[in-house]
Amino acid sequence: AQTVTQSQPEMSVQEAETVTLSCTYDTSENNYYLFWYKQPPSRQMILVIRQEAYKQQNATENRFSVNFQKAAKSFSLKISDSQLGDTAMYFCAFMKQSGGSNYKLTFGKGTLLTVNP
Amino acid sequence: DGGITQSPKYLFRKEGQNVTLSCEQNLNHDAMYWYRQDPGQGLRLIYYSQIVNDFQKGDIAEGYSVSREKKESFPLTVTSAQKNPTAFYLCASTPGTTAFFGQGTRLTVV
């Protein structure tokens, strides 16, 4: 079974600074996807960034980037130039790919990020 | 508009009653999921379905049931066997590699 671990229940950062959220996972699969989702106080889940395991290049979306270390099973999220609107719960998630079908999306327990003015 | 619709947004249930949460999507996605969210627990998978008329138990399926009679719909029934049903419930669907979520249903047992 896949597990996803986020070791930082809470973090805080000053506006305009950089912060890194940690995520590790455990799997025997070789083909899979990793995600970071953001959940603001509205509780709507928003996709931040996605990484395919077969791609060595780290994914980037504007101020958000990941450090994907497949051998170490590590998938951290870096937020640059933090903004007040980045305040939210952040979830790391894993989805395996098997036989052309995708299923069982597994989440970590989340990291509550607070951006201070 | 295309998307995933969960209803109702808030739901109150008396102890001992079954209640059904609705999830509808018009995105033509094959796979659908139900998650439960409690404080400090993240999102825990209840049930998921890859195709119509097929579904699998997730990590916390006890006390819940689902059906998938149509591609667009994946309702979740919280039965009286679920001992602690008060929680926030999220429905999701995926076209293959990225999951999209509904806005959730807050269920409270009174």
Side-chain angles (χ1 to χ4, degrees), chain A residues 1-21:
Chain A
Q2 283 73 231
T3 59
V4 178
T5 302
Q6 294 180 248
S7 59
Q8 306 151 314
E10 295 186 36
M11 293 191 71
S12 63
V13 63
Q14 292 298 121
E15 195 175 7
E17 294 187 347
T18 296
V19 64
T20 298
L21 308 184

Side-chain angles (χ1 to χ4, degrees), chain B residues 25 28-32 49-52 68 71 93-96:
Chain B
Q25 55 100 359
N28 200 34
H29 291 173
D30 287 318
M32 297 185 74
S49 169
Q50 285 291 113
I51 57 173
V52 174
R68 189 83 187 277
K71 189 176 185 178
S93 69
T94 179

Side-chain angles (χ1 to χ4, degrees), chain A residues 33 95-98 100-104, chain B residues 31 33 50 94-97:
Chain A
Y33 301 90
M95 176 188 280
K96 70 176 181 177
Q97 182 180 18
S98 178
S101 297
N102 300 297
Y103 50 91
K104 199 163 186 184
Chain B
Y33 307 81
Q50 285 291 113
T94 179
T97 58

